[in-house]
Amino acid sequence: MTWWQHGVIYQIYPRSFMDTTGDGIGDLPGIVERLDHLVDLGVDAVWVSPFYRSPMADFGYDVEDYRDVDPIFGTLDDADALIAACHDRDLRVIVDYVPNHTSDRHRWFRASRSSRDDPKRDWYVWRDPKPDGTLPNNWLSHFGGPAWTLDERTGQCYLHLFLPEQPDLNWRNPEVREAMYDVMRFWLERGVDGFRIDVAHLPMKDPGLRDNPPAHPGYVSGLHRRMPFDSQVHVHDGGHPDIHEVFREMRSVVDEYPDRYTVGEIAEHDLGVWASYYGDGDGLHMPFNFAYVLLPWEAAAYREAVEAVEAVVPDHGWPNHVLGNHDVARIATRAGSEARARVAMAMLLTLRGTPTIYYGDEIGMPEVEVPSAARQDPWALREEGQGRDGCRTPMLWTSDAGTGFGFGSTEPWLPFGTAAGRTSVADQRDDPRSMLALTRRLLRLRRAEPALHAGTYRTMPGTPSGVFAYTRGGEFAVALSFVGASTTVELGSGIVEVSTGMDRIGEAVEGSVVLGPDEGLVVRLSG
């Protein structure tokens, strides 16, 4: 198996991980300073969200220069030092790759909008308004409002599926493709081990730019319910079938370098379509599996989601599992309690497939209620009731959150929230029953046992309502309670290797076992 199949990935949002300059914003040297935490935790790879030069209209997803580091995060030398420091610790490095759009300050777009005759005009998507002066079609921005902005200077509209400051590249132009593949080579040459591809399904739109059709009641396009965006079925503004040609080309670029990896952000509810992004072994190594971020906290819902993914992943593919990221509310808050967050972590780290842990979830960081005056997310500022600030707050390293995150008197870019002082790495590091201790034990067991990182998955039949139970490689049974009452489960005989409360390790199991409320067990089976 490859490193990305048996390993565990840890996502870092660099603004919020560690500040070494005292400006209230995390940086690349800060990540280096905290790498030993990841080694102690037991993960195998680090995914770093964007750190490229950017005006920060969307906090780095509006890239001004793909080949440079924004000064708030450091320098290109700091990026090289981070890659080297990770490799020195046997950690792989995955960086964000943002192909769908650039910043409006990128030199390509500045040239493109300068004149209809500029050689880079066709590097972006430009169209005339309709004869009546209205926009070219009905497409909507993910961040609210129309997806077109009229450029008064040239009299045409440019496409931006996100902010007006994020114009969409024209991936139907071969010059654009080659330039963006050269960006991949630039970072591969610097030693990165792979790419997380942002909104990977969007670069190829309908060639005719047809209107999206109206949605049926209850339609949800992605990870969030959002209106008026979900008043349309988004079939023409992304995910055109020829996106697979792009991924084959990307894969050929990545395959020029040994042992590298790609994972795509694919917001697709149809699992058959989702699985198509594996290609025939020549597409993405993995499309992210976001099923769990949409589910109610019910055993049946999670069991059905796992079984559905197991059923569609092709033989040449490999599953993966995600509980949270920088775009969705934290799992501890979605599930409703730390006890349930522990159950979720036990599931994440014992299923078949590659897990990705979002920074802070190893200590059960909750969603922070960010006051309106402190909001930063451009989506929150454009659409009432939306926003992602609450899952992006600074990492809680110590009880004195400010001292742990940075060394200056400057307020952090987002508030720490009320969890500071009771949920921190320092508070939990030496507590054998902490969430951190649980995460470490699960990771070590997973790494040590081939049955857990490579073995088959089988749902256990006949389990009580409210319990999700399965076996891995025929050697381990995992039983997870999603209810606040004790439940008896038939598991077979064995020894408890992990309990989510970290209080039943070594306990013998003979046939049946009683799961406590919101408790999970990992049992090594005998015989």
Side-chain angles (χ1 to χ4, degrees):
M1 296 180 72
T2 62
W3 65 267
W4 53 267
Q5 288 177 304
H6 64 69
V8 178
I9 298 168
Y10 185 95
Q11 181 191 356
I12 291 174
Y13 197 69
R15 296 180 71 89
S16 296
F17 204 61
M18 182 70 191
D19 169 24
T20 62
T21 63
D23 63 357
I25 299 172
D27 45 56
L28 298 186
I31 297 174
V32 173
E33 188 165 314
R34 294 295 190 178
L35 284 180
D36 289 343
H37 167 69
L38 305 186
V39 174
D40 178 66
L41 190 62
V43 299
D44 302 274
V46 177
W47 156 27
V48 186
S49 292
F51 49 79
Y52 310 114
R53 185 175 291 273
S54 166
M56 300 294 161
D58 189 22
F59 297 113
Y61 285 98
D62 51 318
V63 179
E64 183 178 354
D65 188 343
Y66 289 100
R67 300 176 184 234
D68 199 6
V69 173
D70 195 89
I72 67 169
F73 297 128
T75 65
L76 200 53
D77 286 342
D78 290 326
D80 291 338
L82 171 60
I83 295 166
C86 286
H87 289 168
D88 286 346
R89 293 164 173 80
D90 294 324
L91 293 169
R92 307 281 182 153
V93 182
I94 300 161
V95 298
D96 243 296
Y97 177 66
V98 187
N100 183 68
H101 46 263
T102 69
S103 166
D104 62 348
R105 298 189 194 178
H106 196 292
R107 59 185 175 83
W108 298 343
F109 187 70
R110 292 200 308 269
S112 182
R113 79 185 310 176
S114 68
S115 164
R116 290 194 183 202
D117 299 324
D118 189 89
K120 291 229 172 6
R121 184 67 169 185
D122 193 44
W123 281 46
Y124 293 82
V125 183
W126 293 92
R127 291 295 185 275
D128 290 326
K130 292 179 180 178
D132 63 0
T134 57
L135 298 174
N137 65 21
N138 72 346
W139 294 359
L140 297 172
S141 163
H142 289 252
F143 289 159
W148 296 93
T149 290
L150 176 65
D151 183 64
E152 298 287 351
R153 178 173 179 175
T154 60
Q156 283 191 313
C157 302
Y158 67 88
L159 178 66
H160 53 87
L161 293 184
F162 293 89
L163 297 173
E165 295 90 345
Q166 294 171 288
D168 281 34
L169 286 163
N170 176 18
W171 274 78
R172 298 193 179 280
N173 183 329
E175 293 179 346
V176 169
R177 292 198 200 187
E178 194 52 44
M180 290 301 292
Y181 299 152
D182 281 345
V183 168
M184 300 180 87
R185 293 185 181 98
F186 176 83
W187 288 102
L188 289 165
E189 289 288 342
R190 302 192 92 86
V192 304
D193 299 284
F195 299 98
R196 177 266 186 184
I197 304 172
D198 183 57
V199 292
H201 57 301
L202 292 184
M204 296 302 277
K205 290 85 170 168
D206 173 58
L209 303 183
R210 288 173 289 176
D211 281 356
N212 284 323
H216 56 78
Y219 169 78
V220 179
S221 59
L223 305 184
H224 305 264
R225 173 70 173 167
R226 44 195 165 163
M227 295 297 287
F229 188 80
D230 283 336
S231 66
Q232 299 176 358
V233 180
H234 293 273
V235 292
H236 295 315
D237 51 357
H240 193 271
D242 50 16
I243 188 67
H244 299 293
E245 177 187 350
V246 169
F247 288 139
R248 286 191 291 271
E249 292 175 356
M250 284 186 185
R251 181 68 176 266
S252 68
V253 171
V254 172
D255 286 348
E256 294 170 13
Y257 301 80
D259 213 17
R260 308 300 168 95
Y261 161 77
T262 57
V263 59
E265 181 189 26
I266 307 290
E268 174 56 63
H269 297 291
D270 184 317
L271 283 179
V273 174
W274 174 84
S276 72
Y277 284 92
Y278 287 99
D280 294 321
D282 56 357
L284 293 170
H285 291 90
M286 292 189 305
F288 263 137
N289 168 22
F290 294 124
Y292 312 131
V293 306
L294 303 170
L295 296 180
W297 186 254
E298 297 170 1
Y302 278 80
R303 179 177 63 250
E304 290 166 7
V306 171
E307 290 174 347
V309 167
E310 283 283 337
V312 300
V313 172
D315 291 342
H316 58 262
W318 185 246
N320 69 93
H321 307 283
V322 175
L323 290 176
N325 61 26
H326 60 289
D327 287 330
V328 297
R330 284 193 176 270
I331 181 61
T333 297
R334 297 200 323 270
S337 68
E338 183 188 303
R340 291 179 173 183
R342 288 171 178 249
V343 170
M345 184 64 77
M347 182 192 75
L348 177 71
L349 297 180
T350 57
L351 287 172
R352 187 178 82 99
T354 303
T356 298
I357 299 174
Y358 186 48
Y359 83 96
D361 283 355
E362 73 271 30
I363 57 173
M365 275 178 61
E367 187 83 353
V368 172
E369 188 67 35
V370 177
S372 57
R375 290 175 188 164
Q376 302 288 333
D377 183 6
W379 189 16
L381 299 177
R382 287 167 63 92
E383 283 197 298
E384 186 63 33
Q386 302 292 0
R388 303 160 295 178
D389 290 325
C391 64
R392 299 176 173 186
T393 54
M395 181 68 172
L396 298 177
W397 292 108
T398 64
S399 298
D400 181 357
T403 302
F405 172 66
F407 302 101
S409 58
T410 304
E411 287 294 311
W413 78 287
L414 283 172
F416 291 103
T418 57
R422 58 183 175 85
T423 303
S424 76
V425 173
D427 293 329
Q428 297 187 25
R429 183 179 290 117
D430 298 323
D431 179 354
R433 294 192 177 182
S434 67
M435 175 90 182
L436 180 58
L438 168 67
T439 307
R440 284 192 303 230
R441 185 171 182 87
L442 285 164
L443 284 165
R444 279 158 177 69
L445 184 66
R446 187 182 188 282
R447 176 176 286 183
E449 298 292 342
L452 287 175
H453 64 242
T456 56
Y457 164 91
R458 295 286 184 272
T459 300
M460 296 187 69
T463 54
S465 174
V467 173
F468 176 25
Y470 49 91
T471 61
R472 292 298 318 283
E475 298 179 25
F476 290 87
V478 181
L480 309 170
S481 172
F482 283 67
V483 294
S486 296
T487 312
T488 300
V489 185
E490 294 291 332
L491 293 183
S493 300
I495 300 294
V496 175
E497 288 285 356
V498 181
S499 66
T500 53
M502 294 293 285
D503 54 354
R504 298 177 64 176
I505 295 169
E507 180 181 311
V509 174
E510 296 294 338
S512 64
V513 65
V514 177
L515 282 178
D518 299 318
E519 183 182 43
L521 298 179
V522 182
V523 175
R524 185 188 298 272
L525 299 173
S526 57

PDB file of all heavy atoms in Angstrom, residues 243-263:
ATOM      1  N   ILE A 243     -14.416  17.322 -17.480  1.00  0.00           N
ATOM      2  CA  ILE A 243     -13.510  17.548 -16.341  1.00  0.00           C
ATOM      3  C   ILE A 243     -12.593  16.343 -16.154  1.00  0.00           C
ATOM      4  O   ILE A 243     -11.459  16.478 -15.684  1.00  0.00           O
ATOM      5  CB  ILE A 243     -14.313  17.830 -15.046  1.00  0.00           C
ATOM      6  CG1 ILE A 243     -13.381  18.248 -13.899  1.00  0.00           C
ATOM      7  CG2 ILE A 243     -15.119  16.610 -14.620  1.00  0.00           C
ATOM      8  CD1 ILE A 243     -12.707  19.561 -14.091  1.00  0.00           C
ATOM      9  N   HIS A 244     -13.052  15.163 -16.568  1.00  0.00           N
ATOM     10  CA  HIS A 244     -12.233  13.967 -16.375  1.00  0.00           C
ATOM     11  C   HIS A 244     -10.991  13.986 -17.266  1.00  0.00           C
ATOM     12  O   HIS A 244      -9.955  13.432 -16.905  1.00  0.00           O
ATOM     13  CB  HIS A 244     -13.083  12.719 -16.618  1.00  0.00           C
ATOM     14  CG  HIS A 244     -14.245  12.615 -15.670  1.00  0.00           C
ATOM     15  ND1 HIS A 244     -14.079  12.395 -14.320  1.00  0.00           N
ATOM     16  CD2 HIS A 244     -15.581  12.753 -15.867  1.00  0.00           C
ATOM     17  CE1 HIS A 244     -15.257  12.377 -13.726  1.00  0.00           C
ATOM     18  NE2 HIS A 244     -16.189  12.596 -14.638  1.00  0.00           N
ATOM     19  N   GLU A 245     -11.092  14.631 -18.406  1.00  0.00           N
ATOM     20  CA  GLU A 245      -9.897  14.816 -19.233  1.00  0.00           C
ATOM     21  C   GLU A 245      -8.871  15.668 -18.497  1.00  0.00           C
ATOM     22  O   GLU A 245      -7.660  15.386 -18.537  1.00  0.00           O
ATOM     23  CB  GLU A 245     -10.281  15.472 -20.557  1.00  0.00           C
ATOM     24  CG  GLU A 245      -9.101  15.780 -21.470  1.00  0.00           C
ATOM     25  CD  GLU A 245      -9.488  16.579 -22.703  1.00  0.00           C
ATOM     26  OE1 GLU A 245     -10.706  16.742 -22.957  1.00  0.00           O
ATOM     27  OE2 GLU A 245      -8.575  17.057 -23.402  1.00  0.00           O
ATOM     28  N   VAL A 246      -9.345  16.707 -17.803  1.00  0.00           N
ATOM     29  CA  VAL A 246      -8.444  17.560 -17.027  1.00  0.00           C
ATOM     30  C   VAL A 246      -7.764  16.748 -15.939  1.00  0.00           C
ATOM     31  O   VAL A 246      -6.541  16.861 -15.726  1.00  0.00           O
ATOM     32  CB  VAL A 246      -9.224  18.739 -16.423  1.00  0.00           C
ATOM     33  CG1 VAL A 246      -8.370  19.487 -15.401  1.00  0.00           C
ATOM     34  CG2 VAL A 246      -9.676  19.695 -17.524  1.00  0.00           C
ATOM     35  N   PHE A 247      -8.521  15.906 -15.247  1.00  0.00           N
ATOM     36  CA  PHE A 247      -7.915  15.129 -14.171  1.00  0.00           C
ATOM     37  C   PHE A 247      -6.924  14.100 -14.704  1.00  0.00           C
ATOM     38  O   PHE A 247      -5.919  13.804 -14.046  1.00  0.00           O
ATOM     39  CB  PHE A 247      -8.998  14.453 -13.327  1.00  0.00           C
ATOM     40  CG  PHE A 247      -9.750  15.419 -12.459  1.00  0.00           C
ATOM     41  CD1 PHE A 247     -11.117  15.308 -12.310  1.00  0.00           C
ATOM     42  CD2 PHE A 247      -9.099  16.448 -11.799  1.00  0.00           C
ATOM     43  CE1 PHE A 247     -11.827  16.203 -11.515  1.00  0.00           C
ATOM     44  CE2 PHE A 247      -9.786  17.342 -11.008  1.00  0.00           C
ATOM     45  CZ  PHE A 247     -11.159  17.228 -10.872  1.00  0.00           C
ATOM     46  N   ARG A 248      -7.188  13.552 -15.880  1.00  0.00           N
ATOM     47  CA  ARG A 248      -6.197  12.645 -16.475  1.00  0.00           C
ATOM     48  C   ARG A 248      -4.899  13.391 -16.768  1.00  0.00           C
ATOM     49  O   ARG A 248      -3.803  12.857 -16.557  1.00  0.00           O
ATOM     50  CB  ARG A 248      -6.762  12.000 -17.740  1.00  0.00           C
ATOM     51  CG  ARG A 248      -7.798  10.919 -17.474  1.00  0.00           C
ATOM     52  CD  ARG A 248      -8.125  10.127 -18.735  1.00  0.00           C
ATOM     53  NE  ARG A 248      -8.845  10.928 -19.717  1.00  0.00           N
ATOM     54  CZ  ARG A 248     -10.162  11.047 -19.767  1.00  0.00           C
ATOM     55  NH1 ARG A 248     -10.917  10.423 -18.871  1.00  0.00           N
ATOM     56  NH2 ARG A 248     -10.746  11.775 -20.711  1.00  0.00           N
ATOM     57  N   GLU A 249      -5.033  14.624 -17.244  1.00  0.00           N
ATOM     58  CA  GLU A 249      -3.836  15.420 -17.506  1.00  0.00           C
ATOM     59  C   GLU A 249      -3.123  15.775 -16.206  1.00  0.00           C
ATOM     60  O   GLU A 249      -1.880  15.697 -16.128  1.00  0.00           O
ATOM     61  CB  GLU A 249      -4.228  16.686 -18.266  1.00  0.00           C
ATOM     62  CG  GLU A 249      -4.705  16.421 -19.683  1.00  0.00           C
ATOM     63  CD  GLU A 249      -5.207  17.673 -20.393  1.00  0.00           C
ATOM     64  OE1 GLU A 249      -5.255  18.753 -19.755  1.00  0.00           O
ATOM     65  OE2 GLU A 249      -5.549  17.584 -21.576  1.00  0.00           O
ATOM     66  N   MET A 250      -3.877  16.177 -15.177  1.00  0.00           N
ATOM     67  CA  MET A 250      -3.257  16.471 -13.887  1.00  0.00           C
ATOM     68  C   MET A 250      -2.540  15.241 -13.342  1.00  0.00           C
ATOM     69  O   MET A 250      -1.416  15.335 -12.813  1.00  0.00           O
ATOM     70  CB  MET A 250      -4.317  16.922 -12.879  1.00  0.00           C
ATOM     71  CG  MET A 250      -4.822  18.327 -13.054  1.00  0.00           C
ATOM     72  SD  MET A 250      -5.930  18.736 -11.666  1.00  0.00           S
ATOM     73  CE  MET A 250      -6.485  20.374 -12.190  1.00  0.00           C
ATOM     74  N   ARG A 251      -3.197  14.102 -13.469  1.00  0.00           N
ATOM     75  CA  ARG A 251      -2.600  12.870 -12.950  1.00  0.00           C
ATOM     76  C   ARG A 251      -1.290  12.556 -13.667  1.00  0.00           C
ATOM     77  O   ARG A 251      -0.312  12.117 -13.043  1.00  0.00           O
ATOM     78  CB  ARG A 251      -3.602  11.729 -13.106  1.00  0.00           C
ATOM     79  CG  ARG A 251      -3.122  10.385 -12.583  1.00  0.00           C
ATOM     80  CD  ARG A 251      -2.968  10.363 -11.068  1.00  0.00           C
ATOM     81  NE  ARG A 251      -2.596   9.033 -10.633  1.00  0.00           N
ATOM     82  CZ  ARG A 251      -3.474   8.108 -10.238  1.00  0.00           C
ATOM     83  NH1 ARG A 251      -4.772   8.376 -10.220  1.00  0.00           N
ATOM     84  NH2 ARG A 251      -3.057   6.931  -9.845  1.00  0.00           N
ATOM     85  N   SER A 252      -1.256  12.804 -14.978  1.00  0.00           N
ATOM     86  CA  SER A 252      -0.019  12.536 -15.713  1.00  0.00           C
ATOM     87  C   SER A 252       1.098  13.459 -15.254  1.00  0.00           C
ATOM     88  O   SER A 252       2.270  13.062 -15.214  1.00  0.00           O
ATOM     89  CB  SER A 252      -0.249  12.672 -17.219  1.00  0.00           C
ATOM     90  OG  SER A 252      -0.495  14.010 -17.586  1.00  0.00           O
ATOM     91  N   VAL A 253       0.746  14.706 -14.880  1.00  0.00           N
ATOM     92  CA  VAL A 253       1.753  15.628 -14.353  1.00  0.00           C
ATOM     93  C   VAL A 253       2.276  15.118 -13.014  1.00  0.00           C
ATOM     94  O   VAL A 253       3.493  15.031 -12.784  1.00  0.00           O
ATOM     95  CB  VAL A 253       1.168  17.046 -14.201  1.00  0.00           C
ATOM     96  CG1 VAL A 253       2.146  17.947 -13.435  1.00  0.00           C
ATOM     97  CG2 VAL A 253       0.851  17.647 -15.562  1.00  0.00           C
ATOM     98  N   VAL A 254       1.359  14.764 -12.127  1.00  0.00           N
ATOM     99  CA  VAL A 254       1.760  14.299 -10.795  1.00  0.00           C
ATOM    100  C   VAL A 254       2.559  13.001 -10.895  1.00  0.00           C
ATOM    101  O   VAL A 254       3.519  12.784 -10.138  1.00  0.00           O
ATOM    102  CB  VAL A 254       0.512  14.124  -9.909  1.00  0.00           C
ATOM    103  CG1 VAL A 254       0.855  13.447  -8.589  1.00  0.00           C
ATOM    104  CG2 VAL A 254      -0.140  15.482  -9.639  1.00  0.00           C
ATOM    105  N   ASP A 255       2.187  12.145 -11.834  1.00  0.00           N
ATOM    106  CA  ASP A 255       2.883  10.866 -11.980  1.00  0.00           C
ATOM    107  C   ASP A 255       4.289  11.011 -12.536  1.00  0.00           C
ATOM    108  O   ASP A 255       5.047  10.031 -12.576  1.00  0.00           O
ATOM    109  CB  ASP A 255       2.067   9.919 -12.870  1.00  0.00           C
ATOM    110  CG  ASP A 255       0.842   9.356 -12.157  1.00  0.00           C
ATOM    111  OD1 ASP A 255       0.745   9.520 -10.925  1.00  0.00           O
ATOM    112  OD2 ASP A 255      -0.019   8.759 -12.834  1.00  0.00           O
ATOM    113  N   GLU A 256       4.660  12.225 -13.000  1.00  0.00           N
ATOM    114  CA  GLU A 256       6.047  12.463 -13.378  1.00  0.00           C
ATOM    115  C   GLU A 256       6.967  12.390 -12.151  1.00  0.00           C
ATOM    116  O   GLU A 256       8.190  12.265 -12.291  1.00  0.00           O
ATOM    117  CB  GLU A 256       6.192  13.850 -14.016  1.00  0.00           C
ATOM    118  CG  GLU A 256       5.467  14.027 -15.349  1.00  0.00           C
ATOM    119  CD  GLU A 256       5.453  15.481 -15.812  1.00  0.00           C
ATOM    120  OE1 GLU A 256       6.208  16.300 -15.225  1.00  0.00           O
ATOM    121  OE2 GLU A 256       4.681  15.814 -16.726  1.00  0.00           O
ATOM    122  N   TYR A 257       6.367  12.462 -10.970  1.00  0.00           N
ATOM    123  CA  TYR A 257       7.111  12.468  -9.710  1.00  0.00           C
ATOM    124  C   TYR A 257       6.658  11.255  -8.897  1.00  0.00           C
ATOM    125  O   TYR A 257       5.465  10.998  -8.771  1.00  0.00           O
ATOM    126  CB  TYR A 257       6.842  13.752  -8.935  1.00  0.00           C
ATOM    127  CG  TYR A 257       7.227  14.997  -9.700  1.00  0.00           C
ATOM    128  CD1 TYR A 257       6.380  15.524 -10.678  1.00  0.00           C
ATOM    129  CD2 TYR A 257       8.448  15.627  -9.468  1.00  0.00           C
ATOM    130  CE1 TYR A 257       6.734  16.646 -11.400  1.00  0.00           C
ATOM    131  CE2 TYR A 257       8.808  16.750 -10.189  1.00  0.00           C
ATOM    132  CZ  TYR A 257       7.951  17.259 -11.157  1.00  0.00           C
ATOM    133  OH  TYR A 257       8.308  18.371 -11.875  1.00  0.00           O
ATOM    134  N   PRO A 258       7.576  10.503  -8.331  1.00  0.00           N
ATOM    135  CA  PRO A 258       7.185   9.255  -7.662  1.00  0.00           C
ATOM    136  C   PRO A 258       6.418   9.501  -6.370  1.00  0.00           C
ATOM    137  O   PRO A 258       6.686  10.441  -5.618  1.00  0.00           O
ATOM    138  CB  PRO A 258       8.534   8.576  -7.380  1.00  0.00           C
ATOM    139  CG  PRO A 258       9.533   9.689  -7.360  1.00  0.00           C
ATOM    140  CD  PRO A 258       9.030  10.713  -8.335  1.00  0.00           C
ATOM    141  N   ASP A 259       5.414   8.635  -6.148  1.00  0.00           N
ATOM    142  CA  ASP A 259       4.768   8.533  -4.843  1.00  0.00           C
ATOM    143  C   ASP A 259       4.036   9.813  -4.435  1.00  0.00           C
ATOM    144  O   ASP A 259       4.049  10.192  -3.268  1.00  0.00           O
ATOM    145  CB  ASP A 259       5.815   8.180  -3.781  1.00  0.00           C
ATOM    146  CG  ASP A 259       5.244   7.308  -2.676  1.00  0.00           C
ATOM    147  OD1 ASP A 259       4.169   6.727  -2.882  1.00  0.00           O
ATOM    148  OD2 ASP A 259       5.874   7.231  -1.607  1.00  0.00           O
ATOM    149  N   ARG A 260       3.407  10.487  -5.398  1.00  0.00           N
ATOM    150  CA  ARG A 260       2.664  11.720  -5.084  1.00  0.00           C
ATOM    151  C   ARG A 260       1.160  11.442  -5.141  1.00  0.00           C
ATOM    152  O   ARG A 260       0.716  10.403  -5.649  1.00  0.00           O
ATOM    153  CB  ARG A 260       3.049  12.844  -6.043  1.00  0.00           C
ATOM    154  CG  ARG A 260       4.561  13.079  -6.144  1.00  0.00           C
ATOM    155  CD  ARG A 260       5.219  13.460  -4.840  1.00  0.00           C
ATOM    156  NE  ARG A 260       6.666  13.397  -4.905  1.00  0.00           N
ATOM    157  CZ  ARG A 260       7.458  14.430  -5.172  1.00  0.00           C
ATOM    158  NH1 ARG A 260       6.922  15.616  -5.420  1.00  0.00           N
ATOM    159  NH2 ARG A 260       8.761  14.289  -5.215  1.00  0.00           N
ATOM    160  N   TYR A 261       0.378  12.422  -4.702  1.00  0.00           N
ATOM    161  CA  TYR A 261      -1.028  12.150  -4.362  1.00  0.00           C
ATOM    162  C   TYR A 261      -1.913  13.334  -4.699  1.00  0.00           C
ATOM    163  O   TYR A 261      -1.494  14.497  -4.595  1.00  0.00           O
ATOM    164  CB  TYR A 261      -1.064  11.847  -2.861  1.00  0.00           C
ATOM    165  CG  TYR A 261      -2.376  11.954  -2.141  1.00  0.00           C
ATOM    166  CD1 TYR A 261      -3.335  10.957  -2.250  1.00  0.00           C
ATOM    167  CD2 TYR A 261      -2.636  13.036  -1.298  1.00  0.00           C
ATOM    168  CE1 TYR A 261      -4.530  11.047  -1.538  1.00  0.00           C
ATOM    169  CE2 TYR A 261      -3.827  13.123  -0.591  1.00  0.00           C
ATOM    170  CZ  TYR A 261      -4.769  12.129  -0.716  1.00  0.00           C
ATOM    171  OH  TYR A 261      -5.939  12.201  -0.020  1.00  0.00           O
ATOM    172  N   THR A 262      -3.146  13.063  -5.132  1.00  0.00           N
ATOM    173  CA  THR A 262      -4.135  14.111  -5.361  1.00  0.00           C
ATOM    174  C   THR A 262      -5.447  13.721  -4.704  1.00  0.00           C
ATOM    175  O   THR A 262      -5.887  12.568  -4.790  1.00  0.00           O
ATOM    176  CB  THR A 262      -4.389  14.327  -6.867  1.00  0.00           C
ATOM    177  OG1 THR A 262      -4.808  13.097  -7.470  1.00  0.00           O
ATOM    178  CG2 THR A 262      -3.150  14.860  -7.567  1.00  0.00           C
ATOM    179  N   VAL A 263      -6.078  14.698  -4.068  1.00  0.00           N
ATOM    180  CA  VAL A 263      -7.420  14.507  -3.513  1.00  0.00           C
ATOM    181  C   VAL A 263      -8.231  15.736  -3.883  1.00  0.00           C
ATOM    182  O   VAL A 263      -7.751  16.867  -3.789  1.00  0.00           O
ATOM    183  CB  VAL A 263      -7.391  14.285  -1.991  1.00  0.00           C
ATOM    184  CG1 VAL A 263      -6.754  15.457  -1.251  1.00  0.00           C
ATOM    185  CG2 VAL A 263      -8.798  14.007  -1.449  1.00  0.00           C
TER     186      VAL A 263
END
